[in-house]
Amino acid sequence: MNRTYRWKLVLLAALCIFIPPGVKGDGETSLGRDMKQPVDEAYTAKMKKYTTEPFFTSPLVNYLPASKNVPTPETVLGDVAGAPGILPYAQDVYKYMRMLEKASPRVKVFSIGTTEEGREMIAVAISSEENLKRLDENRTKLAKLADPRTLQLNDAEADKIVAQAVPVYYITGTIHSPETGAPTALMELAYRLAVDESPYLKEIRDGMITLITPVVEVDGRDRMVDIYKWHLAHPKDFYPPLVYWGKYVAHDNNRDAMGVTLKLTENVLNTYVLWNAQVLHDLHESVPYLYDNTIGDGPYNAWIDPILADEWQMIGTRNVAEMTKFGMPGVFAHGNFDTWSPGYLMFIAAMHNGISRLYETFGNGGADTLERTLEPDEYARTWYKQNPPLPKVMWSQRDNNNYEETGLLVSLHYFNENKRMFLKNFYLKAKRSVEKPKDEGPAAYVLTADETRPTLQLELLKVLEKQHVEISRTTAVVTVALPAKKEKKQDKSGEKKEAKKDEKPQPTTQTFPAGSYVIRMDQPYSRIADALLDHQYWSPEDPQKTPYDDTGWTFGELYGVQVARVTDARILQAPMERVTELRVPGGVKGAGTIFAIENHAEPALAALRYKLKDNDMQAAEEGFESGGEKFAPGTILVKNTDRAQLDAATKELGLQTTALSAAPSVKTHPLRAARILLLHTWLSTQTEGWWRLALDKLQIPYAYASTQTIAKTADLRDKYDVILFPPVGWGGSLNNVVNGTPTSWGNPLPWQNTPETPNLVGKNDSTDDMRPGLGWDGVAKLQKFVNDGGVLLTVMDSAQFAAGIGVTGGVSVSSSEKMKIVGSVVGTRLVDGASPIVYGYGERVAAYCDDGPIFSLSSIAGSRRRRRLGPEMGSRPTGRGTKDDPDFAVGRVAVEAPDEPESEIWENPHVTDEQRHNNPRVIPPAMRARVVLRYADSKDLLISGLVEGGGEIAQHPAVVDTPLGKGHVVLFSINPVWRGETQGTYSLVLNTVMNYDSLNAGRMDEEK
């Protein structure tokens, strides 16, 4: 470090730290401690010892006030917060918070739910004794601001409450388990807020309620502490990466605020709404030294209230300004984080009329003090980072805690200073949400009562219910006007021209039957419903070229159900009732001993198959008619069953079942409760966790094993019928899957429960060494499994793996360098409706795609699709006649050229006589790849999100069934199971599972 530069920083920090309490600007509160209150000298000395530079602290946190009655964090930790070598388990954090509650009337602890593995989550309220005595009264006041309809939208009445109410600022920590600093920072912050009598902190305590959930991902926190303790016990060894966080997912736990599939999301969401909090501030760690990415970068989410965007600017800018005045380097508020997706935990507030906030501070992934060397772009001075981080620094967990606590105290104080404005904004955002129909619209979203997939409709409605959205249901037929659609301009060939200016497009109407669900937009939480149900468009020309996360998520499309966006305000006058219970009627109707359940690609059908696993179920390969009712191919026929048992099961699952007088005269095949293995690697368990969650929710049993395990399994086919190999995600290349992490050096990386690591293996897998991969012996086991009649289902990078090991004859897989499809909803088209994989699906299927691999077909093994040498011949060569005439050769009789066979991009290419001659590589038609879904044409590819350069993947296969020996390898370029949001494509997987030994049903193998 440059000595002069360092000296200036130290001097500036010293000037800030030792500002006398009386020195302040006009209207500013004095900084520093209350001189009448003693300091805990021993604790303060340790804090200073562990702070690596004097400018890595502030006058707000460079001391700890003493208390005779209230214990400090040292009581539980054995040292100060942020001390090297100390990471507390969640229960230790809770123990301390409850000690605070017992010792101080300024602290209350609330249990807010449990995780998937049964661990408790808490929220800690800290405020003045008087405020905590009146929690219920204050909550009632805030509830009126949260729902302005209770005030008849009366601003004057709202102002009275604004003048009296105490706001709630909700802080959450450690949703990302390797980001370890927040719990100790929040323990110490809670102590300061309860004990410190300095004017700065006293104003916060008396003026507002600080609510803290110190550990959000509790399961992952305890595993991370285990890993850290293993590291301390083996300081010279590499320590295992945190491959499992919660029961299901890792980093993606902070992408669940739309689907609300995880307990941690649900618990935080319910807490935020119950307390009617104004702010949700989530603590993360990644960049030096504090990135207040509340402001972030564009594009901003299109459904937020503009008031929120202003609040982001106000709070974030003030945060940076105050910490810069303290002399703390590396504090900034702009960056490359776009605020487009509402999937982040903090966005619960943004979509429920509050203020979403997020810090990224600098963590070491544990409590070690480390020398950190930054990249040039991290320490470069920019317009928004005038006091950047240092290029090289010794960094401690105490430094991190200082930044976290300082930033939070600055934010809390600024919020308290302006609480009346923020409370009024809280009311105004809720009021503007209620007034949405008459302002920007729409008036409502309608989910029709004649939905062909009622169980999927129900699942979508349950998401809205979890979001605390009000759902109504019509009691009569309703007809609404739909906006007139302008005719699009055509290309210059001009077969169609735009309508004349005086010819206005005529509006149309749509009628919804009684019992249709209505999501009214005149309600406080209309914004989250609008954001989830509307379509998204991210322009390829947007200045932001690196979207941070998914760009499209339209829930109606991803659930495969009809959702109508209605702008006609008359829908709000239609007769309707609030829904208090969501359910779908099911059960058996009619007389007979054969029972038919029509397949509309609802996952509940697979749940039924496994619930009644011993029952005789058949799939009809053709459509049929019985008793005047038509049934589509894929209809499930149940025979020789107990009617009462079937009735109870279908009522529970919401499946309509029809009793037939006789079995239909159609070809059928058995529908199996297949034995499933869900395969994972030790590289990453992130993406496959969403698959486990989906199967668990449907109560479909499965075995769960790693690539290491199957490599040691003698006969996979003897144990399993179907192996599901979801996307690997990070590091999922063929080399990494097969070879794993290098074992030629280093030490074993165990993932096991031991006295040092009692929490690692919860509801997941274990190994004595995470490094080995599948190995080539394991590859041979997989090949044999398929050849012996098993089905291997692969997705995205695991499909590339399958192609790489040679089990996808006739299908090559490639990646694009130019195409950009970033977490978007795309259109696909049905190619082979007779395939059991697509039973229940229509001609168009919306699917999730994230730069999916490009599949190409060949009818000749070991070759790609036939290509010409040189440029493609788009038309006839130069010669005589017109464009459509044949050319001729002078001096000889004209010979008519044979028609060259053509095939579509998604089809197996035709084999010419020349290619077929003495060529053992020609794949027999019965063994060629069977495309069941393809990507839509370029112009129809995008449904929601960002598609740039989509022509590279347009029309290419999206789902392919490849025969191999007696079995099949099924390849997905789309991702059918993602974040609980893609339930409309779950049945592509579940159909494959239930029909695993009949996937050739309906196959047409004749060459044209």
Side-chain angles (χ1 to χ4, degrees):
M1 185 192 310
N2 180 281
R3 288 188 177 184
T4 303
Y5 180 58
R6 176 175 173 179
W7 178 85
K8 289 180 179 179
L9 285 173
V10 172
L11 178 60
L12 179 58
L15 288 172
C16 291
I17 290 171
F18 296 108
I19 293 174
V23 178
K24 57 183 180 178
D26 293 341
E28 291 185 358
T29 304
S30 297
L31 298 174
R33 69 183 185 88
D34 177 5
M35 301 305 291
K36 297 177 182 179
Q37 185 177 25
V39 169
D40 187 324
E41 299 291 354
Y43 193 105
T44 300
K46 288 183 178 179
M47 287 182 353
K48 291 182 178 179
K49 176 184 177 182
Y50 301 144
T51 298
T52 60
E53 294 286 358
F55 42 79
F56 289 157
T57 188
S58 74
L60 297 178
V61 300
N62 66 355
Y63 69 95
L64 194 81
S67 172
K68 295 179 180 179
N69 304 315
V70 181
T72 70
E74 191 171 10
T75 309
V76 170
L77 299 176
D79 206 333
V80 304
I86 295 177
L87 281 187
Y89 288 107
Q91 284 302 320
D92 296 327
V93 179
Y94 297 173
K95 178 182 178 181
Y96 176 69
M97 294 301 192
R98 289 190 164 110
M99 291 172 67
L100 277 183
E101 179 185 36
K102 188 175 181 179
S104 172
R106 298 169 176 174
V107 180
K108 284 186 177 294
V109 178
F110 301 86
S111 184
I112 63 171
T114 59
T115 68
E116 283 83 1
E117 295 186 358
R119 293 180 175 88
E120 183 188 24
M121 292 178 64
I122 68 169
V124 184
I126 308 154
S127 191
S128 69
E129 186 175 355
E130 187 65 23
N131 287 340
L132 292 185
K133 284 180 180 178
R134 297 181 176 178
L135 278 182
D136 291 339
E137 177 187 339
N138 188 65
R139 192 174 293 164
T140 300
K141 291 176 182 176
L142 293 176
K144 292 180 180 179
L145 298 181
D147 187 355
R149 296 171 301 180
T150 61
L151 303 173
Q152 290 75 49
L153 308 186
N154 188 317
D155 292 356
E157 290 298 315
D159 288 341
K160 294 177 184 177
I161 298 175
V162 166
Q164 301 168 356
V166 180
V168 178
Y169 195 111
Y170 189 16
I171 303 168
T172 53
T174 315
I175 186 173
H176 283 166
S177 303
E179 301 166 13
T180 55
T184 50
L186 293 174
M187 290 167 73
E188 190 173 279
L189 179 70
Y191 175 88
R192 293 181 187 279
L193 291 172
V195 169
D196 202 326
E197 296 298 335
S198 70
Y200 198 91
L201 272 81
K202 191 173 185 300
E203 286 179 7
I204 296 171
R205 181 170 60 244
D206 292 345
M208 61 192 296
I209 297 165
T210 303
L211 192 65
I212 298 173
T213 291
V215 183
V216 173
E217 176 55 274
V218 188
D219 300 332
R221 172 66 181 190
D222 286 358
R223 292 190 176 101
M224 183 63 204
V225 176
D226 277 3
I227 291 288
Y228 185 66
K229 289 192 172 183
W230 191 95
H231 157 64
L232 293 178
H234 307 83
K236 295 182 179 180
D237 289 343
F238 296 112
Y239 52 87
L242 193 67
V243 69
Y244 292 100
W245 298 9
K247 178 180 179 181
Y248 293 115
V249 296
H251 192 273
D252 254 14
N253 60 9
N254 193 36
R255 303 295 186 273
D256 187 50
M258 287 191 280
V260 196
T261 60
L262 303 175
K263 288 290 187 182
L264 64 83
T265 314
E266 188 173 359
N267 293 339
V268 171
L269 171 56
N270 289 341
T271 303
Y272 177 84
V273 172
L274 175 67
W275 283 78
N276 296 299
Q278 284 65 61
V279 182
L280 177 54
H281 193 153
D282 197 26
L283 302 183
H284 290 254
E285 297 171 14
S286 65
V287 297
Y289 298 125
L290 189 150
Y291 174 25
D292 184 339
N293 75 357
T294 300
I295 296 177
D297 196 3
Y300 282 1
N301 181 277
W303 294 267
I304 65 165
D305 192 303
I307 293 174
L308 173 60
D310 294 337
E311 290 171 321
W312 284 339
Q313 302 288 336
M314 285 187 286
I315 300 178
T317 301
R318 180 60 177 266
N319 209 156
V320 175
E322 290 300 306
M323 295 183 72
T324 299
K325 284 195 289 185
F326 293 153
M328 302 178 78
V331 182
F332 60 104
H334 292 271
N336 61 4
F337 173 80
D338 64 77
T339 314
W340 174 250
S341 168
Y344 313 108
L345 188 76
M346 67 163 179
F347 239 75
I348 288 171
M351 294 284 99
H352 292 81
N353 302 320
I355 303 171
S356 55
R357 302 207 63 217
L358 189 147
Y359 281 168
E360 296 280 4
T361 55
F362 201 36
N364 286 340
D368 289 358
T369 299
L370 301 173
E371 185 175 68
R372 304 291 300 272
T373 302
L374 306 187
E375 296 294 328
D377 64 324
E378 292 180 304
Y379 60 78
R381 186 181 65 82
T382 66
W383 66 269
Y384 60 85
K385 200 187 295 183
Q386 290 292 331
N387 185 7
L390 283 66
K392 193 172 185 178
V393 69
M394 190 65 69
W395 188 258
S396 68
Q397 180 166 249
R398 183 65 224 183
D399 297 331
N400 186 28
N401 282 184
N402 289 339
Y403 270 76
E404 289 172 307
E405 290 185 60
T406 299
L408 288 170
L409 287 171
V410 167
S411 293
L412 290 167
H413 193 266
Y414 177 69
F415 187 84
N416 182 64
E417 283 182 319
N418 298 277
K419 63 186 172 186
R420 303 304 167 205
M421 176 190 69
F422 289 122
L423 281 170
K424 183 62 179 287
N425 284 354
F426 180 64
Y427 160 77
L428 286 174
K429 286 181 286 187
K431 179 184 177 183
R432 285 150 66 106
S433 293
V434 172
E435 293 179 327
K436 190 173 176 59
K438 75 178 182 63
D439 294 334
E440 76 266 25
Y445 287 88
V446 181
L447 286 73
T448 183
D450 56 6
E451 172 62 56
T452 58
R453 294 173 175 162
T455 61
L456 281 168
Q457 184 186 72
L458 176 68
E459 292 302 316
L460 175 51
L461 290 168
K462 284 180 178 178
V463 173
L464 296 174
E465 185 179 51
K466 284 184 177 181
Q467 295 282 4
H468 295 265
V469 171
E470 297 169 1
I471 302 168
S472 301
R473 202 167 192 187
T474 60
T475 56
V477 175
V478 178
T479 299
V480 298
L482 299 179
K485 291 186 178 180
K486 293 182 178 180
E487 188 174 351
K488 293 181 180 180
K489 291 182 179 180
Q490 303 298 315
D491 57 28
K492 292 183 179 180
S493 60
E495 290 185 9
K496 282 190 176 181
K497 294 184 178 180
E498 195 172 6
K500 296 179 181 178
K501 291 183 179 180
D502 57 347
E503 292 180 359
K504 293 184 178 180
Q506 296 300 307
T508 58
T509 61
Q510 185 170 356
T511 298
F512 299 100
S516 295
Y517 292 98
V518 180
I519 313 301
R520 302 174 64 101
M521 291 292 102
D522 56 350
Q523 60 170 299
Y525 299 147
S526 60
R527 294 199 184 279
I528 180 61
D530 197 13
L532 296 183
L533 299 177
D534 204 353
H535 285 72
Q536 296 78 42
Y537 176 72
W538 183 302
S539 171
E541 304 303 320
D542 195 283
Q544 175 62 269
K545 297 302 180 185
T546 55
Y548 199 80
D549 202 70
D550 288 349
T551 59
W553 53 81
T554 306
F555 270 45
E557 300 283 1
L558 291 176
Y559 275 70
V561 299
Q562 303 172 68
V563 177
R565 186 177 188 269
V566 178
T567 58
D568 185 352
R570 289 177 297 176
I571 186 67
L572 302 178
Q573 307 305 318
M576 64 182 75
E577 299 172 342
R578 278 283 300 276
V579 173
T580 58
E581 180 187 8
L582 286 170
R583 64 182 185 86
V584 173
V588 180
K589 65 177 182 179
T593 57
I594 306 295
F595 305 95
I597 309 169
E598 192 158 12
N599 191 336
H600 292 295
E602 296 173 275
L605 294 171
L608 177 70
R609 170 65 282 191
Y610 282 89
K611 183 180 283 289
L612 304 179
K613 60 184 180 65
D614 297 324
N615 286 29
D616 180 4
M617 295 189 187
Q618 303 280 322
E621 296 184 8
E622 305 159 8
F624 63 91
E625 186 173 342
S626 178
E629 190 173 349
K630 292 184 178 180
F631 295 87
T635 294
I636 299 173
L637 299 172
V638 187
K639 304 176 181 180
N640 306 318
T641 191
D642 180 271
R643 178 178 176 131
Q645 182 190 43
L646 180 63
D647 185 59
T650 52
K651 279 181 178 176
E652 179 185 342
L653 294 170
L655 296 170
Q656 295 280 359
T657 305
T658 303
L660 308 180
S661 58
S665 299
V666 292
K667 187 176 182 181
T668 64
H669 64 255
L671 198 70
R672 309 290 192 185
R675 300 168 300 167
I676 302 171
L677 170 65
L678 197 148
L679 181 63
H680 75 90
T681 70
W682 286 104
L683 300 167
S684 171
T685 64
Q686 166 85 302
T687 307
E688 56 87 1
W690 293 117
W691 289 61
R692 284 186 282 122
L693 189 150
L695 293 174
D696 285 349
K697 185 176 179 181
L698 291 165
Q699 297 183 355
I700 294 175
Y702 60 94
Y704 181 59
S706 72
T707 49
Q708 294 178 1
T709 300
I710 69 166
K712 300 172 185 176
T713 303
D715 188 352
L716 289 171
R717 185 67 189 91
D718 185 55
K719 298 181 68 174
Y720 310 114
D721 302 313
V722 177
I723 295 178
L724 303 179
F725 194 6
V728 176
W730 181 86
S733 67
L734 170 64
N735 177 69
N736 288 343
V737 171
V738 173
N739 297 319
T741 302
T743 57
S744 300
W745 60 85
N747 52 275
L749 302 175
W751 189 272
Q752 294 174 320
N753 281 351
T754 68
E756 288 175 345
T757 57
N759 303 287
L760 282 190
V761 183
K763 306 291 184 180
N764 48 56
D765 204 354
S766 64
T767 180
D768 55 4
D769 188 0
M770 298 167 63
R771 296 176 301 165
L774 176 64
W776 291 106
D777 285 345
V779 169
K781 297 277 181 64
L782 273 181
Q783 292 170 330
K784 183 176 185 301
F785 166 77
V786 179
N787 273 298
D788 289 350
V791 169
L792 175 64
L793 187 150
T794 61
V795 186
M796 298 175 67
D797 58 11
S798 66
Q800 291 180 305
F801 159 81
I805 64 171
V807 295
T808 61
V811 182
S812 61
V813 183
S814 61
S815 300
S816 169
E817 296 296 327
K818 297 180 180 179
M819 180 183 73
K820 185 186 286 187
I821 302 179
V822 184
S824 299
V825 188
V826 300
T828 70
R829 298 292 182 264
L830 190 67
V831 174
D832 188 346
S835 168
I837 295 173
V838 288
Y839 280 165
Y841 285 97
E843 291 296 319
R844 296 168 179 255
V845 179
Y848 173 85
C849 179
D850 187 30
D851 277 345
I854 300 171
F855 298 159
S856 298
L857 304 187
S858 173
S859 300
I860 302 175
S863 69
R864 293 180 177 272
R865 195 178 188 93
R866 187 166 66 91
R867 296 188 302 167
R868 298 177 186 273
L869 294 176
E872 286 285 336
M873 186 177 291
S875 60
R876 54 154 289 186
T878 303
R880 68 149 296 276
T882 67
K883 177 183 177 182
D884 299 322
D885 288 334
D887 197 8
F888 76 122
V890 176
R892 78 178 194 203
V893 177
V895 177
E896 185 176 350
D899 290 334
E900 183 174 336
E902 295 182 357
S903 59
E904 302 288 355
I905 291 175
W906 62 87
E907 293 179 327
N908 286 295
H910 294 276
V911 181
T912 66
D913 292 339
E914 287 291 317
Q915 292 171 322
R916 187 178 290 107
H917 177 68
N918 194 36
N919 189 351
R921 290 183 174 275
V922 174
I923 303 171
M927 298 301 294
R928 291 178 193 169
R930 182 183 189 183
V931 177
V932 295
L933 279 181
R934 68 168 177 88
Y935 285 102
D937 300 351
S938 289
K939 63 183 179 63
D940 299 319
L941 189 59
L942 174 64
I943 293 178
S944 275
L946 167 64
V947 172
E948 183 177 3
E952 286 194 72
I953 204 169
Q955 298 188 342
H956 279 264
V959 180
V960 184
D961 171 15
T962 307
L964 180 67
K966 298 177 183 178
H968 296 256
V969 178
V970 181
L971 302 97
F972 283 75
S973 173
I974 59 173
N975 187 352
V977 182
W978 178 243
R979 294 179 177 174
E981 300 170 8
T982 61
Q983 295 192 37
T985 48
Y986 281 11
S987 287
L988 294 171
V989 174
L990 300 173
N991 280 343
T992 303
V993 169
M994 294 188 292
N995 297 276
Y996 82 91
D997 57 350
S998 299
L999 292 181
N1000 284 331
R1003 184 179 176 113
M1004 303 292 289
D1005 293 324
E1006 297 83 2
E1007 288 196 79
K1008 294 179 182 178

